Amino acid sequence: MVIHGLQKMTLVDYPGKVAAILFTGACNFRCPFCQNASLVLHPSSEPAIDDDEIFSYLRKRKGMLEGVVMTGGEPTVHADLLEYMARIKDLGYAVKLDTNGYRPDVLRKAVEGGYADYVAMDVKNSLTSYAATAGIEHLYTALIEESISFLMEDRVPYEFRTTVVHELHNDKDFEEIGRMCAGCRNYFLQTYSDRGDIINPIFTAPSQEEMERYIRILRKTIGNVSLRDR
C-alpha cells in the first residue's frame, strides 16, 4: 500500500473520534469535480510517505488519537488494503473506510472481516445520472446498488454522502436517491467548492435554496439527513 498523504489529526472526518487520515492514490472513477485530481490521475507522480514514518506516528499518538480514516483516491482498488487496515487495528485504532462503493466485494470483506469499524460511501448521484457524475462511460450501477444494500444491513456503522454540484444534480436525481437509500442510517449532503486540483474545473456550487430543497426531498424517505461542510 502506497500512502501519499497523512493528515495528522481531524475532529470531523471520523464521527465521534479524534483521528488521523491516510490518503491512497488511484481511483476507478473519474468524477470531473474531484478535488484530488493528482492522486486520481497521476498517483505515481505524487510523493509517498514511508510506512515506518506512518506507523511510528500512529504508535506515538496512541491515547490521543482514536481512529484512522482510509481515504483516497479510492482505497478499495488496492490489493493489500485489508492487510494494511489490519496493521492499523493491531495498534488499537478504529478504522474508517471511505469508498465509492464500486468494489462491493472488497467492502464486504472489510466489514465482515472486522477491518472496518465505520464506512462512509459516496453516493455520486441517481443511478440514471451516475455514469456522467462518476466520469465513467460504461458504469455498472448494480455494483453501487449492491454496496448500498449491504451497508443497509447495519453490520457496521455507516453513512452515505453526496457532494452536490449545481450542474450535475437536480430534484429528480434526489427523488431517485431518496428511493434508493430509503430508511438508511445517515445521509449527508456536502456543497461542492473549487479548492484547486480539480479534474475539470468548470463546475459551480449549488445555491443554499437548492441544498435546502434537496434535503427536504431526501427527508421524505430518510430520517437523518444533514448538511456537512467539506
Side-chain angles (χ1 to χ4, degrees), residues 107-157:
L107 173 59
R108 182 178 292 274
K109 289 176 182 177
V111 172
E112 292 182 343
Y115 303 103
D117 301 286
Y118 190 104
V119 176
M121 176 178 164
D122 290 311
V123 176
K124 300 297 182 180
N125 210 330
S126 66
L127 296 182
T128 305
S129 303
Y130 224 97
T133 310
I136 300 295
E137 184 176 355
H138 301 292
L139 184 142
Y140 298 98
T141 55
L143 297 176
I144 301 299
E145 293 180 283
E146 183 178 342
S147 289
I148 289 173
S149 295
F150 173 69
L151 288 176
M152 289 182 63
E153 293 176 7
D154 262 335
R155 301 188 184 203
V156 69

mmCIF file of all heavy atoms in Angstrom, residues 107-157:
data_model
loop_
_atom_site.group_PDB
_atom_site.id
_atom_site.type_symbol
_atom_site.label_atom_id
_atom_site.label_comp_id
_atom_site.label_asym_id
_atom_site.label_seq_id
_atom_site.Cartn_x
_atom_site.Cartn_y
_atom_site.Cartn_z
ATOM 1 N N LEU A 107 -15.568 -4.236 -0.056
ATOM 2 C CA LEU A 107 -16.318 -3.635 1.046
ATOM 3 C C LEU A 107 -16.855 -4.711 1.974
ATOM 4 O O LEU A 107 -16.750 -4.602 3.211
ATOM 5 C CB LEU A 107 -17.463 -2.791 0.481
ATOM 6 C CG LEU A 107 -18.461 -2.221 1.482
ATOM 7 C CD1 LEU A 107 -17.773 -1.324 2.500
ATOM 8 C CD2 LEU A 107 -19.574 -1.463 0.756
ATOM 9 N N ARG A 108 -17.426 -5.743 1.401
ATOM 10 C CA ARG A 108 -17.970 -6.833 2.221
ATOM 11 C C ARG A 108 -16.875 -7.491 3.057
ATOM 12 O O ARG A 108 -17.060 -7.756 4.253
ATOM 13 C CB ARG A 108 -18.659 -7.858 1.309
ATOM 14 C CG ARG A 108 -19.312 -9.018 2.059
ATOM 15 C CD ARG A 108 -19.999 -9.962 1.093
ATOM 16 N NE ARG A 108 -21.160 -9.351 0.474
ATOM 17 C CZ ARG A 108 -22.382 -9.358 1.019
ATOM 18 N NH1 ARG A 108 -22.578 -9.949 2.190
ATOM 19 N NH2 ARG A 108 -23.387 -8.783 0.391
ATOM 20 N N LYS A 109 -15.726 -7.750 2.449
ATOM 21 C CA LYS A 109 -14.625 -8.376 3.195
ATOM 22 C C LYS A 109 -14.130 -7.462 4.313
ATOM 23 O O LYS A 109 -13.795 -7.933 5.403
ATOM 24 C CB LYS A 109 -13.478 -8.706 2.241
ATOM 25 C CG LYS A 109 -13.778 -9.847 1.286
ATOM 26 C CD LYS A 109 -12.627 -10.051 0.313
ATOM 27 C CE LYS A 109 -12.937 -11.162 -0.678
ATOM 28 N NZ LYS A 109 -11.839 -11.334 -1.680
ATOM 29 N N ALA A 110 -14.085 -6.159 4.043
ATOM 30 C CA ALA A 110 -13.612 -5.217 5.058
ATOM 31 C C ALA A 110 -14.520 -5.208 6.275
ATOM 32 O O ALA A 110 -14.058 -5.130 7.424
ATOM 33 C CB ALA A 110 -13.504 -3.814 4.462
ATOM 34 N N VAL A 111 -15.820 -5.289 6.027
ATOM 35 C CA VAL A 111 -16.786 -5.263 7.134
ATOM 36 C C VAL A 111 -16.874 -6.618 7.813
ATOM 37 O O VAL A 111 -16.756 -6.724 9.047
ATOM 38 C CB VAL A 111 -18.170 -4.822 6.613
ATOM 39 C CG1 VAL A 111 -19.226 -4.981 7.711
ATOM 40 C CG2 VAL A 111 -18.120 -3.377 6.129
ATOM 41 N N GLU A 112 -17.079 -7.672 7.042
ATOM 42 C CA GLU A 112 -17.265 -8.999 7.629
ATOM 43 C C GLU A 112 -16.001 -9.503 8.305
ATOM 44 O O GLU A 112 -16.074 -10.281 9.265
ATOM 45 C CB GLU A 112 -17.728 -9.979 6.554
ATOM 46 C CG GLU A 112 -19.138 -9.680 6.039
ATOM 47 C CD GLU A 112 -19.616 -10.676 4.998
ATOM 48 O OE1 GLU A 112 -18.759 -11.409 4.442
ATOM 49 O OE2 GLU A 112 -20.827 -10.702 4.732
ATOM 50 N N GLY A 113 -14.841 -9.039 7.831
ATOM 51 C CA GLY A 113 -13.584 -9.452 8.443
ATOM 52 C C GLY A 113 -13.194 -8.624 9.650
ATOM 53 O O GLY A 113 -12.187 -8.908 10.297
ATOM 54 N N GLY A 114 -13.993 -7.601 9.965
ATOM 55 C CA GLY A 114 -13.717 -6.765 11.124
ATOM 56 C C GLY A 114 -12.628 -5.740 10.907
ATOM 57 O O GLY A 114 -12.112 -5.159 11.873
ATOM 58 N N TYR A 115 -12.277 -5.476 9.658
ATOM 59 C CA TYR A 115 -11.230 -4.495 9.372
ATOM 60 C C TYR A 115 -11.759 -3.058 9.429
ATOM 61 O O TYR A 115 -11.033 -2.145 9.803
ATOM 62 C CB TYR A 115 -10.633 -4.746 7.985
ATOM 63 C CG TYR A 115 -10.074 -6.131 7.801
ATOM 64 C CD1 TYR A 115 -10.786 -7.097 7.086
ATOM 65 C CD2 TYR A 115 -8.830 -6.487 8.320
ATOM 66 C CE1 TYR A 115 -10.278 -8.371 6.908
ATOM 67 C CE2 TYR A 115 -8.321 -7.753 8.145
ATOM 68 C CZ TYR A 115 -9.049 -8.701 7.443
ATOM 69 O OH TYR A 115 -8.549 -9.969 7.278
ATOM 70 N N ALA A 116 -13.010 -2.873 9.028
ATOM 71 C CA ALA A 116 -13.623 -1.538 9.005
ATOM 72 C C ALA A 116 -14.607 -1.408 10.161
ATOM 73 O O ALA A 116 -15.499 -2.246 10.327
ATOM 74 C CB ALA A 116 -14.337 -1.294 7.678
ATOM 75 N N ASP A 117 -14.451 -0.359 10.946
ATOM 76 C CA ASP A 117 -15.350 -0.098 12.063
ATOM 77 C C ASP A 117 -16.424 0.931 11.700
ATOM 78 O O ASP A 117 -17.402 1.087 12.433
ATOM 79 C CB ASP A 117 -14.540 0.427 13.258
ATOM 80 C CG ASP A 117 -13.489 -0.573 13.696
ATOM 81 O OD1 ASP A 117 -13.855 -1.589 14.301
ATOM 82 O OD2 ASP A 117 -12.294 -0.346 13.399
ATOM 83 N N TYR A 118 -16.220 1.619 10.599
ATOM 84 C CA TYR A 118 -17.170 2.632 10.127
ATOM 85 C C TYR A 118 -16.921 2.783 8.630
ATOM 86 O O TYR A 118 -15.774 2.729 8.177
ATOM 87 C CB TYR A 118 -16.920 3.963 10.839
ATOM 88 C CG TYR A 118 -17.980 5.028 10.623
ATOM 89 C CD1 TYR A 118 -18.904 5.321 11.623
ATOM 90 C CD2 TYR A 118 -18.043 5.749 9.431
ATOM 91 C CE1 TYR A 118 -19.873 6.306 11.440
ATOM 92 C CE2 TYR A 118 -19.009 6.727 9.248
ATOM 93 C CZ TYR A 118 -19.918 7.004 10.249
ATOM 94 O OH TYR A 118 -20.876 7.973 10.063
ATOM 95 N N VAL A 119 -18.003 2.957 7.869
ATOM 96 C CA VAL A 119 -17.873 3.119 6.422
ATOM 97 C C VAL A 119 -18.625 4.367 5.979
ATOM 98 O O VAL A 119 -19.778 4.576 6.372
ATOM 99 C CB VAL A 119 -18.425 1.899 5.653
ATOM 100 C CG1 VAL A 119 -18.369 2.151 4.137
ATOM 101 C CG2 VAL A 119 -17.641 0.633 6.007
ATOM 102 N N ALA A 120 -17.965 5.183 5.183
ATOM 103 C CA ALA A 120 -18.621 6.317 4.524
ATOM 104 C C ALA A 120 -18.593 6.046 3.030
ATOM 105 O O ALA A 120 -17.521 5.921 2.436
ATOM 106 C CB ALA A 120 -17.905 7.628 4.835
ATOM 107 N N MET A 121 -19.776 5.925 2.430
ATOM 108 C CA MET A 121 -19.858 5.661 0.998
ATOM 109 C C MET A 121 -20.391 6.880 0.273
ATOM 110 O O MET A 121 -21.436 7.426 0.626
ATOM 111 C CB MET A 121 -20.765 4.457 0.715
ATOM 112 C CG MET A 121 -20.965 4.201 -0.764
ATOM 113 S SD MET A 121 -21.987 2.751 -1.099
ATOM 114 C CE MET A 121 -22.398 3.051 -2.826
ATOM 115 N N ASP A 122 -19.649 7.299 -0.750
ATOM 116 C CA ASP A 122 -20.100 8.400 -1.593
ATOM 117 C C ASP A 122 -21.144 7.886 -2.577
ATOM 118 O O ASP A 122 -20.845 7.009 -3.399
ATOM 119 C CB ASP A 122 -18.923 8.991 -2.374
ATOM 120 C CG ASP A 122 -17.965 9.751 -1.480
ATOM 121 O OD1 ASP A 122 -18.430 10.590 -0.699
ATOM 122 O OD2 ASP A 122 -16.752 9.497 -1.562
ATOM 123 N N VAL A 123 -22.347 8.423 -2.477
ATOM 124 C CA VAL A 123 -23.378 8.155 -3.477
ATOM 125 C C VAL A 123 -23.308 9.322 -4.458
ATOM 126 O O VAL A 123 -23.703 10.439 -4.140
ATOM 127 C CB VAL A 123 -24.777 8.041 -2.833
ATOM 128 C CG1 VAL A 123 -25.847 7.855 -3.900
ATOM 129 C CG2 VAL A 123 -24.800 6.881 -1.837
ATOM 130 N N LYS A 124 -22.781 9.064 -5.632
ATOM 131 C CA LYS A 124 -22.453 10.156 -6.548
ATOM 132 C C LYS A 124 -23.694 10.847 -7.092
ATOM 133 O O LYS A 124 -23.701 12.072 -7.280
ATOM 134 C CB LYS A 124 -21.607 9.633 -7.707
ATOM 135 C CG LYS A 124 -20.290 9.003 -7.282
ATOM 136 C CD LYS A 124 -19.376 10.011 -6.593
ATOM 137 C CE LYS A 124 -18.047 9.377 -6.223
ATOM 138 N NZ LYS A 124 -17.134 10.325 -5.551
ATOM 139 N N ASN A 125 -24.751 10.073 -7.348
ATOM 140 C CA ASN A 125 -25.950 10.658 -7.939
ATOM 141 C C ASN A 125 -27.016 9.570 -8.039
ATOM 142 O O ASN A 125 -26.815 8.454 -7.565
ATOM 143 C CB ASN A 125 -25.627 11.225 -9.335
ATOM 144 C CG ASN A 125 -26.511 12.410 -9.691
ATOM 145 O OD1 ASN A 125 -27.653 12.508 -9.250
ATOM 146 N ND2 ASN A 125 -25.988 13.319 -10.493
ATOM 147 N N SER A 126 -28.115 9.896 -8.687
ATOM 148 C CA SER A 126 -29.110 8.872 -9.004
ATOM 149 C C SER A 126 -28.475 7.886 -9.976
ATOM 150 O O SER A 126 -27.510 8.202 -10.688
ATOM 151 C CB SER A 126 -30.338 9.519 -9.643
ATOM 152 O OG SER A 126 -30.010 10.079 -10.902
ATOM 153 N N LEU A 127 -29.029 6.678 -10.040
ATOM 154 C CA LEU A 127 -28.475 5.693 -10.961
ATOM 155 C C LEU A 127 -28.562 6.187 -12.402
ATOM 156 O O LEU A 127 -27.675 5.914 -13.218
ATOM 157 C CB LEU A 127 -29.206 4.358 -10.808
ATOM 158 C CG LEU A 127 -29.062 3.672 -9.440
ATOM 159 C CD1 LEU A 127 -29.801 2.343 -9.457
ATOM 160 C CD2 LEU A 127 -27.604 3.475 -9.057
ATOM 161 N N THR A 128 -29.594 6.940 -12.706
ATOM 162 C CA THR A 128 -29.776 7.487 -14.056
ATOM 163 C C THR A 128 -28.612 8.378 -14.455
ATOM 164 O O THR A 128 -28.168 8.373 -15.609
ATOM 165 C CB THR A 128 -31.087 8.283 -14.134
ATOM 166 O OG1 THR A 128 -32.180 7.454 -13.718
ATOM 167 C CG2 THR A 128 -31.336 8.799 -15.534
ATOM 168 N N SER A 129 -28.090 9.142 -13.501
ATOM 169 C CA SER A 129 -27.039 10.125 -13.784
ATOM 170 C C SER A 129 -25.670 9.679 -13.286
ATOM 171 O O SER A 129 -24.715 10.465 -13.322
ATOM 172 C CB SER A 129 -27.407 11.463 -13.127
ATOM 173 O OG SER A 129 -28.671 11.919 -13.565
ATOM 174 N N TYR A 130 -25.552 8.435 -12.837
ATOM 175 C CA TYR A 130 -24.337 8.008 -12.147
ATOM 176 C C TYR A 130 -23.117 8.036 -13.044
ATOM 177 O O TYR A 130 -22.044 8.519 -12.644
ATOM 178 C CB TYR A 130 -24.516 6.598 -11.573
ATOM 179 C CG TYR A 130 -23.997 6.463 -10.166
ATOM 180 C CD1 TYR A 130 -24.873 6.579 -9.084
ATOM 181 C CD2 TYR A 130 -22.653 6.244 -9.894
ATOM 182 C CE1 TYR A 130 -24.420 6.469 -7.780
ATOM 183 C CE2 TYR A 130 -22.188 6.135 -8.603
ATOM 184 C CZ TYR A 130 -23.071 6.255 -7.551
ATOM 185 O OH TYR A 130 -22.612 6.164 -6.257
ATOM 186 N N ALA A 131 -23.229 7.507 -14.255
ATOM 187 C CA ALA A 131 -22.061 7.394 -15.123
ATOM 188 C C ALA A 131 -21.448 8.753 -15.417
ATOM 189 O O ALA A 131 -20.222 8.928 -15.345
ATOM 190 C CB ALA A 131 -22.445 6.688 -16.424
ATOM 191 N N ALA A 132 -22.286 9.726 -15.731
ATOM 192 C CA ALA A 132 -21.780 11.068 -16.039
ATOM 193 C C ALA A 132 -21.131 11.699 -14.821
ATOM 194 O O ALA A 132 -20.105 12.380 -14.928
ATOM 195 C CB ALA A 132 -22.913 11.947 -16.553
ATOM 196 N N THR A 133 -21.709 11.475 -13.655
ATOM 197 C CA THR A 133 -21.185 12.071 -12.436
ATOM 198 C C THR A 133 -19.894 11.407 -11.997
ATOM 199 O O THR A 133 -18.987 12.061 -11.465
ATOM 200 C CB THR A 133 -22.230 11.990 -11.310
ATOM 201 O OG1 THR A 133 -23.485 12.493 -11.796
ATOM 202 C CG2 THR A 133 -21.807 12.812 -10.101
ATOM 203 N N ALA A 134 -19.778 10.114 -12.238
ATOM 204 C CA ALA A 134 -18.560 9.374 -11.884
ATOM 205 C C ALA A 134 -17.493 9.469 -12.963
ATOM 206 O O ALA A 134 -16.351 9.045 -12.747
ATOM 207 C CB ALA A 134 -18.884 7.915 -11.619
ATOM 208 N N GLY A 135 -17.848 10.000 -14.128
ATOM 209 C CA GLY A 135 -16.875 10.152 -15.202
ATOM 210 C C GLY A 135 -16.499 8.854 -15.870
ATOM 211 O O GLY A 135 -15.432 8.727 -16.459
ATOM 212 N N ILE A 136 -17.406 7.854 -15.815
ATOM 213 C CA ILE A 136 -17.147 6.538 -16.398
ATOM 214 C C ILE A 136 -18.251 6.237 -17.410
ATOM 215 O O ILE A 136 -19.432 6.224 -17.057
ATOM 216 C CB ILE A 136 -17.143 5.435 -15.318
ATOM 217 C CG1 ILE A 136 -16.062 5.707 -14.277
ATOM 218 C CG2 ILE A 136 -16.951 4.067 -15.946
ATOM 219 C CD1 ILE A 136 -14.659 5.636 -14.804
ATOM 220 N N GLU A 137 -17.863 5.983 -18.644
ATOM 221 C CA GLU A 137 -18.859 5.782 -19.698
ATOM 222 C C GLU A 137 -19.668 4.511 -19.484
ATOM 223 O O GLU A 137 -20.894 4.517 -19.575
ATOM 224 C CB GLU A 137 -18.168 5.746 -21.059
ATOM 225 C CG GLU A 137 -19.142 5.644 -22.219
ATOM 226 C CD GLU A 137 -18.450 5.697 -23.567
ATOM 227 O OE1 GLU A 137 -17.212 5.914 -23.589
ATOM 228 O OE2 GLU A 137 -19.140 5.528 -24.594
ATOM 229 N N HIS A 138 -18.985 3.407 -19.204
ATOM 230 C CA HIS A 138 -19.669 2.121 -19.026
ATOM 231 C C HIS A 138 -19.594 1.743 -17.546
ATOM 232 O O HIS A 138 -18.686 1.030 -17.110
ATOM 233 C CB HIS A 138 -19.032 1.048 -19.900
ATOM 234 C CG HIS A 138 -19.071 1.376 -21.358
ATOM 235 N ND1 HIS A 138 -20.248 1.422 -22.077
ATOM 236 C CD2 HIS A 138 -18.083 1.698 -22.224
ATOM 237 C CE1 HIS A 138 -19.995 1.747 -23.329
ATOM 238 N NE2 HIS A 138 -18.686 1.933 -23.446
ATOM 239 N N LEU A 139 -20.530 2.225 -16.778
ATOM 240 C CA LEU A 139 -20.539 2.012 -15.333
ATOM 241 C C LEU A 139 -21.664 1.042 -14.973
ATOM 242 O O LEU A 139 -22.796 1.190 -15.439
ATOM 243 C CB LEU A 139 -20.730 3.345 -14.614
ATOM 244 C CG LEU A 139 -20.677 3.314 -13.085
ATOM 245 C CD1 LEU A 139 -19.969 4.546 -12.551
ATOM 246 C CD2 LEU A 139 -22.094 3.261 -12.497
ATOM 247 N N TYR A 140 -21.344 0.053 -14.152
ATOM 248 C CA TYR A 140 -22.318 -0.966 -13.770
ATOM 249 C C TYR A 140 -22.986 -0.554 -12.457
ATOM 250 O O TYR A 140 -22.436 -0.749 -11.371
ATOM 251 C CB TYR A 140 -21.639 -2.327 -13.642
ATOM 252 C CG TYR A 140 -21.027 -2.795 -14.943
ATOM 253 C CD1 TYR A 140 -19.667 -2.624 -15.186
ATOM 254 C CD2 TYR A 140 -21.821 -3.362 -15.940
ATOM 255 C CE1 TYR A 140 -19.105 -3.020 -16.389
ATOM 256 C CE2 TYR A 140 -21.267 -3.771 -17.147
ATOM 257 C CZ TYR A 140 -19.907 -3.594 -17.365
ATOM 258 O OH TYR A 140 -19.363 -3.981 -18.563
ATOM 259 N N THR A 141 -24.159 0.046 -12.594
ATOM 260 C CA THR A 141 -24.830 0.571 -11.406
ATOM 261 C C THR A 141 -25.236 -0.534 -10.433
ATOM 262 O O THR A 141 -25.458 -0.258 -9.252
ATOM 263 C CB THR A 141 -26.076 1.382 -11.796
ATOM 264 O OG1 THR A 141 -26.948 0.573 -12.600
ATOM 265 C CG2 THR A 141 -25.685 2.629 -12.577
ATOM 266 N N ALA A 142 -25.296 -1.774 -10.890
ATOM 267 C CA ALA A 142 -25.632 -2.875 -9.980
ATOM 268 C C ALA A 142 -24.612 -2.996 -8.855
ATOM 269 O O ALA A 142 -24.954 -3.407 -7.736
ATOM 270 C CB ALA A 142 -25.721 -4.187 -10.756
ATOM 271 N N LEU A 143 -23.363 -2.639 -9.130
ATOM 272 C CA LEU A 143 -22.334 -2.695 -8.093
ATOM 273 C C LEU A 143 -22.594 -1.643 -7.016
ATOM 274 O O LEU A 143 -22.384 -1.896 -5.823
ATOM 275 C CB LEU A 143 -20.952 -2.484 -8.717
ATOM 276 C CG LEU A 143 -20.508 -3.543 -9.723
ATOM 277 C CD1 LEU A 143 -19.163 -3.161 -10.333
ATOM 278 C CD2 LEU A 143 -20.423 -4.917 -9.068
ATOM 279 N N ILE A 144 -23.059 -0.470 -7.436
ATOM 280 C CA ILE A 144 -23.421 0.576 -6.478
ATOM 281 C C ILE A 144 -24.604 0.123 -5.629
ATOM 282 O O ILE A 144 -24.589 0.262 -4.395
ATOM 283 C CB ILE A 144 -23.774 1.880 -7.220
ATOM 284 C CG1 ILE A 144 -22.592 2.357 -8.068
ATOM 285 C CG2 ILE A 144 -24.233 2.944 -6.242
ATOM 286 C CD1 ILE A 144 -21.348 2.677 -7.289
ATOM 287 N N GLU A 145 -25.597 -0.433 -6.270
ATOM 288 C CA GLU A 145 -26.778 -0.913 -5.541
ATOM 289 C C GLU A 145 -26.405 -2.011 -4.552
ATOM 290 O O GLU A 145 -26.942 -2.065 -3.436
ATOM 291 C CB GLU A 145 -27.825 -1.430 -6.527
ATOM 292 C CG GLU A 145 -28.432 -0.355 -7.397
ATOM 293 C CD GLU A 145 -29.457 -0.915 -8.362
ATOM 294 O OE1 GLU A 145 -29.033 -1.513 -9.378
ATOM 295 O OE2 GLU A 145 -30.661 -0.756 -8.115
ATOM 296 N N GLU A 146 -25.482 -2.874 -4.941
ATOM 297 C CA GLU A 146 -25.052 -3.956 -4.050
ATOM 298 C C GLU A 146 -24.387 -3.399 -2.793
ATOM 299 O O GLU A 146 -24.657 -3.871 -1.671
ATOM 300 C CB GLU A 146 -24.095 -4.885 -4.782
ATOM 301 C CG GLU A 146 -23.653 -6.080 -3.952
ATOM 302 C CD GLU A 146 -22.727 -7.020 -4.703
ATOM 303 O OE1 GLU A 146 -22.682 -6.954 -5.947
ATOM 304 O OE2 GLU A 146 -22.041 -7.831 -4.039
ATOM 305 N N SER A 147 -23.531 -2.402 -2.949
ATOM 306 C CA SER A 147 -22.865 -1.805 -1.791
ATOM 307 C C SER A 147 -23.848 -1.093 -0.883
ATOM 308 O O SER A 147 -23.767 -1.191 0.352
ATOM 309 C CB SER A 147 -21.775 -0.833 -2.252
ATOM 310 O OG SER A 147 -20.680 -1.525 -2.808
ATOM 311 N N ILE A 148 -24.789 -0.378 -1.472
ATOM 312 C CA ILE A 148 -25.811 0.315 -0.672
ATOM 313 C C ILE A 148 -26.623 -0.694 0.121
ATOM 314 O O ILE A 148 -26.841 -0.540 1.330
ATOM 315 C CB ILE A 148 -26.709 1.178 -1.576
ATOM 316 C CG1 ILE A 148 -25.934 2.388 -2.097
ATOM 317 C CG2 ILE A 148 -27.959 1.631 -0.817
ATOM 318 C CD1 ILE A 148 -26.678 3.203 -3.139
ATOM 319 N N SER A 149 -27.081 -1.745 -0.545
ATOM 320 C CA SER A 149 -27.895 -2.759 0.131
ATOM 321 C C SER A 149 -27.119 -3.437 1.250
ATOM 322 O O SER A 149 -27.656 -3.681 2.338
ATOM 323 C CB SER A 149 -28.374 -3.806 -0.878
ATOM 324 O OG SER A 149 -29.238 -3.231 -1.829
ATOM 325 N N PHE A 150 -25.847 -3.722 1.001
ATOM 326 C CA PHE A 150 -25.033 -4.378 2.020
ATOM 327 C C PHE A 150 -24.883 -3.489 3.250
ATOM 328 O O PHE A 150 -25.071 -3.950 4.386
ATOM 329 C CB PHE A 150 -23.658 -4.734 1.458
ATOM 330 C CG PHE A 150 -22.711 -5.263 2.496
ATOM 331 C CD1 PHE A 150 -22.917 -6.498 3.078
ATOM 332 C CD2 PHE A 150 -21.623 -4.507 2.906
ATOM 333 C CE1 PHE A 150 -22.050 -6.985 4.058
ATOM 334 C CE2 PHE A 150 -20.759 -4.976 3.875
ATOM 335 C CZ PHE A 150 -20.962 -6.219 4.453
ATOM 336 N N LEU A 151 -24.547 -2.229 3.067
ATOM 337 C CA LEU A 151 -24.378 -1.336 4.211
ATOM 338 C C LEU A 151 -25.678 -1.170 4.981
ATOM 339 O O LEU A 151 -25.670 -1.065 6.217
ATOM 340 C CB LEU A 151 -23.848 0.023 3.752
ATOM 341 C CG LEU A 151 -22.387 0.034 3.298
ATOM 342 C CD1 LEU A 151 -22.005 1.407 2.764
ATOM 343 C CD2 LEU A 151 -21.452 -0.370 4.429
ATOM 344 N N MET A 152 -26.786 -1.187 4.287
ATOM 345 C CA MET A 152 -28.071 -1.015 4.966
ATOM 346 C C MET A 152 -28.499 -2.252 5.750
ATOM 347 O O MET A 152 -29.507 -2.213 6.455
ATOM 348 C CB MET A 152 -29.139 -0.591 3.949
ATOM 349 C CG MET A 152 -28.935 0.846 3.470
ATOM 350 S SD MET A 152 -30.202 1.439 2.317
ATOM 351 C CE MET A 152 -31.666 1.372 3.364
ATOM 352 N N GLU A 153 -27.702 -3.309 5.686
ATOM 353 C CA GLU A 153 -27.923 -4.449 6.582
ATOM 354 C C GLU A 153 -27.472 -4.129 8.004
ATOM 355 O O GLU A 153 -27.683 -4.922 8.927
ATOM 356 C CB GLU A 153 -27.173 -5.677 6.064
ATOM 357 C CG GLU A 153 -27.717 -6.221 4.758
ATOM 358 C CD GLU A 153 -26.894 -7.378 4.219
ATOM 359 O OE1 GLU A 153 -25.971 -7.850 4.946
ATOM 360 O OE2 GLU A 153 -27.161 -7.825 3.089
ATOM 361 N N ASP A 154 -26.799 -2.974 8.179
ATOM 362 C CA ASP A 154 -26.415 -2.475 9.503
ATOM 363 C C ASP A 154 -25.406 -3.371 10.213
ATOM 364 O O ASP A 154 -25.424 -3.496 11.437
ATOM 365 C CB ASP A 154 -27.639 -2.293 10.403
ATOM 366 C CG ASP A 154 -28.117 -0.851 10.443
ATOM 367 O OD1 ASP A 154 -27.291 0.047 10.207
ATOM 368 O OD2 ASP A 154 -29.301 -0.624 10.706
ATOM 369 N N ARG A 155 -24.494 -3.932 9.461
ATOM 370 C CA ARG A 155 -23.459 -4.752 10.083
ATOM 371 C C ARG A 155 -22.365 -3.909 10.715
ATOM 372 O O ARG A 155 -21.570 -4.415 11.514
ATOM 373 C CB ARG A 155 -22.851 -5.693 9.042
ATOM 374 C CG ARG A 155 -23.860 -6.619 8.396
ATOM 375 C CD ARG A 155 -23.188 -7.638 7.522
ATOM 376 N NE ARG A 155 -24.155 -8.466 6.834
ATOM 377 C CZ ARG A 155 -23.898 -9.681 6.368
ATOM 378 N NH1 ARG A 155 -22.693 -10.198 6.532
ATOM 379 N NH2 ARG A 155 -24.813 -10.365 5.739
ATOM 380 N N VAL A 156 -22.295 -2.625 10.317
ATOM 381 C CA VAL A 156 -21.278 -1.710 10.813
ATOM 382 C C VAL A 156 -21.865 -0.304 10.724
ATOM 383 O O VAL A 156 -22.720 -0.047 9.865
ATOM 384 C CB VAL A 156 -19.988 -1.834 9.963
ATOM 385 C CG1 VAL A 156 -20.196 -1.304 8.554
ATOM 386 C CG2 VAL A 156 -18.807 -1.155 10.621
ATOM 387 N N PRO A 157 -21.502 0.607 11.622
ATOM 388 C CA PRO A 157 -21.956 1.992 11.464
ATOM 389 C C PRO A 157 -21.524 2.539 10.101
ATOM 390 O O PRO A 157 -20.396 2.300 9.659
ATOM 391 C CB PRO A 157 -21.260 2.726 12.611
ATOM 392 C CG PRO A 157 -21.040 1.679 13.644
ATOM 393 C CD PRO A 157 -20.731 0.432 12.869
#
